[in-house]
Amino acid sequence: MTTPIYDGLLLGAHLATLEPASGYGEIHDGALAWRDGVLTYVGPRADLPGEPAALAREVHQATGWITPGLVDCHTHLVFAGDRAREFEMRLQGASYEEIARAGGGIVSTVHATREAGEEALLAQSAPRARALVEDGATTLEIKSGYGLDLESERAMLRVARRIGEALGVTVRTTCLAAHAVPPEFKGRADDYIEAACGWIAELHREGLVDAVDAFCESIGFTPSQTRHVFEAARGLGLPVKLHADQLSDLNGAALVAEFGGLSADHVEHTSTQGVRLMAEHGTVAVLLPGAFHVLRETKLPPLDAFREHGVPMAVATDCNPGTSPLLSLRQAMQLACTHFRLTPEEALRGATVHGARALGLDDRGMLRVGMRADFVLWNVRHPAELCYWLGGRLAERVVSGGVRVAGT
């Protein structure tokens, strides 16, 4: 008896490989096969090198479309509590300052996260991650930044690692200790940054940090303080990314590009010079339309400049309790089309090819032989439907490393 050469084989669905530089890379009546977690055949069913039953241990007939697994390259999904009451207060006319004086804002999330403990933090955060996976995400970036002390930052990063193990998906952890100044360091931002750099080194030694991020903004940290964090990360051999130019242009995108950063995120106020430097250094622009939507922003990112200079545009949820309580990367894609006028193809590339690049991952994001077997079977008649429908359940099967992690 011939030994099967594939672990699994899906037949009949159309493939959106995203293999060329533009277009969906469509293969109609396709076949997708994998072995040991890696794609081993991507092409027309008619070109398979033999009878399907003899080629694979498991053969499944499918309809609809298959895309690469979605990559959510910017989330803050590990936290305790919520800020739904603040959302209501803002709609009733309360200002951010009034909410903060009442104990709200990021301080409330920091307090709840510190108080929760690791097990409670996992219990509250895992369902958010599960929602993202069930909607097609097979790779998640998860940041710390709501602990703002060593033990709480450690707990957040440990929970992020545990979520990946429990759900069977890839989780990349980012240390965002430079997110805000905690109450105990009020008025001593430089001292806090010095302490945070020490924590980054310790957490990296414990194997909890894949990258380092910071919030460079007038209500966050200065470019000088951010540079200090990046220098510490570089000394540890860790890649950097940045919450850059969201509310004003502090040249954050240019700063992270100078350090060869993976991505500049938000980027609504990024200058043309910042765009040029991102292009020169290969830094990805991560668009976060969820926060843009919730905050009712009007300043668009420099989308035409990104296109003109060839800066890849990723799309992510920015899932967080304050400004983007978004639990669907597909919904982020829809918002990117609606608010930023991305095409559905650009949005899909942003949540696959470019999202992977924003995490420094070159083994996923397309359907190509040799790539990791991360893919989603969608109940749609065309890939544009992924950005067309507002809500609903479209993912029929979600596969990570050749293993089904959601769907049937």
Side-chain angles (χ1 to χ4, degrees), residues 24 26 37 102-103 127 166 216 241 261 279 319 365 369:
Y24 290 108
E26 302 178 19
C216 183
K241 52 183 61 184
C319 173
V369 171

Side-chain angles (χ1 to χ4, degrees), residues 223-240:
S224 176
Q225 290 162 344
T226 301
R227 179 178 293 275
H228 188 46
V229 173
F230 283 180
E231 288 171 346
R234 182 163 60 185
L236 296 167
L238 287 169
V240 297

Side-chain angles (χ1 to χ4, degrees), residues 97-130:
E97 183 179 355
E98 290 168 337
I99 291 171
R101 281 203 304 267
I106 190 173
V107 173
S108 66
T109 300
V110 171
H111 177 74
T113 300
R114 287 179 173 182
E115 290 294 312
E118 188 172 318
E119 295 305 319
L121 201 53
L122 177 63
Q124 292 186 49
S125 302
R128 291 188 282 267
R130 166 57 68 182

Side-chain angles (χ1 to χ4, degrees), residues 91-326:
L91 292 174
Q92 292 171 342
S95 69
Y96 181 85
E97 183 179 355
E98 290 168 337
I99 291 171
R101 281 203 304 267
I106 190 173
V107 173
S108 66
T109 300
V110 171
H111 177 74
T113 300
R114 287 179 173 182
E115 290 294 312
E118 188 172 318
E119 295 305 319
L121 201 53
L122 177 63
Q124 292 186 49
S125 302
R128 291 188 282 267
R130 166 57 68 182
L132 291 168
V133 171
E134 289 179 347
D135 203 43
T138 55
T139 301
L140 303 173
E141 185 256 17
I142 301 178
K143 304 179 191 294
S144 66
Y146 290 125
L148 306 185
D149 62 36
L150 176 58
E151 290 306 316
S152 301
E153 292 287 294
R154 176 184 285 121
M156 291 186 70
L157 294 168
R158 282 176 52 84
V159 166
R161 289 278 195 244
R162 291 175 66 183
I163 284 172
E165 294 167 1
L167 298 184
V169 298
T170 300
V171 168
R172 301 293 284 181
T173 55
T174 298
C175 186
L176 182 57
H179 193 193
V181 178
E184 61 269 25
F185 278 87
K186 185 177 181 179
R188 298 188 297 123
D190 286 341
D191 292 341
Y192 176 69
I193 286 295
E194 195 64 38
C197 288
W199 304 341
I200 293 169
E202 185 165 344
L203 295 168
H204 175 52
R205 285 194 295 270
E206 295 172 12
L208 293 175
V209 181
D210 296 320
V212 172
D213 196 351
F215 182 36
C216 183
E217 194 56 75
S218 57
I219 60 172
F221 295 98
T222 67
S224 176
Q225 290 162 344
T226 301
R227 179 178 293 275
H228 188 46
V229 173
F230 283 180
E231 288 171 346
R234 182 163 60 185
L236 296 167
L238 287 169
V240 297
K241 52 183 61 184
L242 186 64
H243 285 65
D245 308 331
Q246 179 185 10
L247 306 174
S248 61
D249 183 11
L250 293 184
N251 295 312
L255 175 60
V256 71
E258 176 191 334
F259 279 81
L262 293 173
S263 67
D265 302 29
H266 287 290
V267 294
E268 282 90 336
H269 290 263
T270 295
S271 67
T272 302
Q273 176 63 12
V275 173
R276 289 195 185 102
L277 287 169
M278 290 173 66
E280 180 181 338
H281 293 278
T283 299
V284 176
V286 177
L287 306 180
L288 302 172
F292 186 93
H293 177 78
V294 171
L295 294 173
R296 291 179 286 182
E297 294 286 358
T298 58
K299 174 68 173 176
L300 293 171
L303 303 163
D304 289 339
F306 289 143
R307 293 185 180 106
E308 178 185 351
H309 292 279
V311 175
M313 292 183 288
V315 176
T317 62
D318 192 20
C319 173
N320 75 71
T323 61
S324 189
L326 180 55

Side-chain angles (χ1 to χ4, degrees), residues 1 57 137 227 356 397:
M1 181 177 178
R57 293 183 175 88
R227 179 178 293 275
R397 177 179 300 182

